[in-house]
Amino acid sequence: MRCIEPREGVSVGLSREDVERVDREGLHKDYEAWPEQAESALKLSLDLKEVSVDEIVYCGMGGSGCAGDILQDLSFSRPRFPPLYVVKGYHLPSFADESTLVLAVSYSGDTEETISALKEALERGCKVVGFSSGGELEKICRENSIPHVKLGRALTPRSALPYILFSTLSALERLGYQLVSASELSNTIALMRNLRASIGVESDLSDNEAKQIAQHLYNAHPIIYGPQEFRGVLIRFKNSLNENAKVHALVEILPEACHNDIEAWHPDALSLRALFAINGSDGRLRKRFDTLMELVERSGVEYRSVYVKEATLFESIVKLLYLLEYATLYLAVLRGVPPAPTPNIALLKKRLSGD
Ligand code: F6R
């Protein structure tokens, strides 16, 4: 294997050895298994009947919530799809009733906010499907004869994302609300397998876009720009920058950012580093992206662009998701921070549970 040339100021490389030394818990192994996670999630052995509802509410926090954002982004491009709302909190919207489908998703099954929303859904007679790897959520589903999808094993909720995303897609399809066709799903899994070869731990920095992005974002405050249809992926990227690499990050969505954030590009923005995620299929936004890049450059801030243009929106979303997730793992390694443990989240949960 060729030696990795670190960026100036970066003292660690990104070889498999470097990754294993920092990621002692082995989070990278979960990421290596993402295509297989997706494949196994599609083999959902749950008897679900078609339903007819006025709206869908996805309830989930953190790593379990972000699949909801992605489903919502996908739903915007589907004609005649019911409104899909994402709840990241304790309460359902007040309109939720018997004609609402609620997907209650918590990887651990013990997240306070999601359990509270699930209980509200039961009180209001909503149609409910639960998703967890076990915990209280599974118990409540069993006690109330609610369909429950048992999610596969992973080290953390965020590294179980394909289990969550592909099982919720699969359940929605069986309930009569298809967001992604069977052929798109299998093409996407093939795409993930190809991508893994180029962004995985074994691939050298010079050919590895995820490692290059990590180097670009090293020792700076990342600000991430992208279009509306990538909103869910970019929020997820921010969350994994927080949880894996333990850094703050900002997400700005275009065209809205051209009406506010754009003014903040002044020469005093030097501690920032920008990343643009561009959907190659939207020509109208290009002038906005180009102008913003020019202003970023004029401020003396380094930026990098990621161009995505796959055959379908779902494929583009998953490609970006996988690429950026690996970048957060590599950034953690460059910073010498173990990516798997999230001690602050654990501390808060412990305090809330009264232990
Ligand atoms: C991600 C992570 C958190 C949790 C969140 C909710 O890896 O650890 O963002 O996803 O605290 O917990 P769960 O997903 O168990 O409902």
Side-chain angles (χ1 to χ4, degrees):
M1 188 171 157
R2 249 180 305 145
C3 180
I4 290 171
E5 284 299 328
R7 181 196 173 94
E8 213 183 313
V10 180
S11 53
V12 192
L14 284 172
S15 66
R16 179 171 281 279
E17 246 174 31
D18 295 320
V19 172
E20 283 171 355
R21 194 173 46 243
V22 180
D23 179 21
R24 291 184 291 274
E25 290 76 12
L27 192 67
H28 62 282
K29 292 188 190 140
D30 276 2
Y31 291 134
E32 276 163 12
W34 269 24
E36 289 70 34
Q37 273 197 28
E39 205 161 47
S40 85
L42 291 181
K43 296 183 190 127
L44 191 67
S45 59
L46 191 66
D47 188 24
L48 290 174
K49 301 214 173 2
E50 288 203 2
V51 291
S52 171
V53 292
D54 291 341
E55 65 273 316
I56 299 170
V57 178
Y58 181 110
C59 306
M61 308 299 299
S64 297
C66 65
D69 294 327
I70 293 168
L71 297 182
Q72 187 182 58
D73 292 342
L74 290 168
S75 74
F76 286 177
S77 66
R78 291 276 154 186
R80 290 182 298 284
F81 201 85
L84 194 158
Y85 302 93
V86 180
V87 168
K88 295 187 181 182
Y90 290 90
H91 301 294
L92 291 181
S94 42
F95 56 73
D97 58 18
E98 311 80 46
S99 55
T100 307
L101 169 64
V102 171
L103 305 182
V105 187
S106 164
Y107 187 72
S108 62
D110 290 319
T111 296
E112 189 177 279
E113 298 92 321
T114 315
I115 296 295
S116 150
L118 168 62
K119 287 181 177 163
E120 279 191 9
L122 294 177
E123 281 160 23
R124 295 199 211 169
C126 304
K127 297 174 175 64
V128 182
V129 183
F131 300 77
S132 75
S133 62
E136 176 78 2
L137 194 145
E138 182 178 14
K139 197 165 150 257
I140 296 175
C141 288
R142 215 180 290 133
E143 285 168 0
N144 291 276
S145 307
I146 291 166
H148 174 264
V149 176
K150 183 115 179 159
L151 300 167
R153 288 177 74 86
L155 206 52
T156 64
R158 60 190 175 284
S159 57
L161 182 62
Y163 281 140
I164 301 171
L165 180 62
F166 285 74
S167 9
T168 47
L169 277 169
S170 183
L172 278 175
E173 194 262 327
R174 290 184 198 195
L175 291 158
Y177 294 103
Q178 188 187 64
L179 278 170
V180 178
S181 70
S183 65
E184 267 181 271
L185 289 170
S186 60
N187 290 346
T188 306
I189 294 173
L191 179 148
M192 286 169 91
R193 287 211 165 89
N194 283 335
L195 189 60
R196 173 171 59 191
S198 63
I199 61 173
V201 173
E202 299 295 341
S203 142
D204 275 356
L205 176 68
S206 53
D207 308 313
N208 189 322
E209 198 176 1
K211 289 182 179 177
Q212 291 165 8
I213 292 170
Q215 285 218 338
H216 170 65
L217 298 180
Y218 181 71
N219 222 359
H221 293 106
I223 179 160
I224 308 139
Y225 291 95
Q228 183 66 36
E229 61 274 20
F230 290 162
R231 187 180 149 270
V233 188
L234 298 182
I235 291 175
R236 163 56 188 228
F237 180 41
K238 178 210 86 75
N239 293 352
S240 291
L241 282 167
N242 301 152
E243 293 179 54
N244 283 348
K246 280 82 177 165
V247 292
H248 285 290
L250 285 172
V251 177
E252 289 289 345
I253 300 300
L254 268 69
E256 176 62 13
C258 299
H259 299 272
N260 32 65
D261 168 275
I262 194 167
E263 279 304 332
W265 283 103
H266 270 278
D268 59 0
L270 284 172
S271 68
L272 286 171
R273 193 124 329 128
L275 185 81
F276 292 90
I278 297 172
N279 183 349
S281 60
D282 193 343
R284 276 184 314 157
L285 279 187
R286 279 314 296 272
K287 205 165 245 168
R288 292 180 185 270
F289 272 112
D290 289 346
T291 308
L292 199 48
M293 285 174 193
E294 196 187 310
L295 292 168
V296 171
E297 200 164 20
R298 258 201 245 156
S299 302
V301 167
E302 284 178 49
Y303 72 88
R304 187 182 168 100
S305 310
V306 179
Y307 293 89
V308 195
K309 191 177 194 297
E310 296 305 316
T312 65
L313 176 60
F314 185 61
E315 288 168 58
S316 294
I317 282 178
V318 172
K319 180 175 183 180
L320 193 58
L321 198 60
Y322 204 12
L323 170 70
L324 296 180
E325 194 69 16
Y326 256 111
T328 68
L329 174 84
Y330 296 136
L331 184 59
V333 174
L334 289 178
R335 286 169 49 73
V337 200
T342 43
N344 296 353
I345 297 176
L347 171 81
L348 187 78
K349 287 188 178 181
K350 203 161 174 237
R351 285 196 182 162
L352 286 168
S353 72
D355 290 356

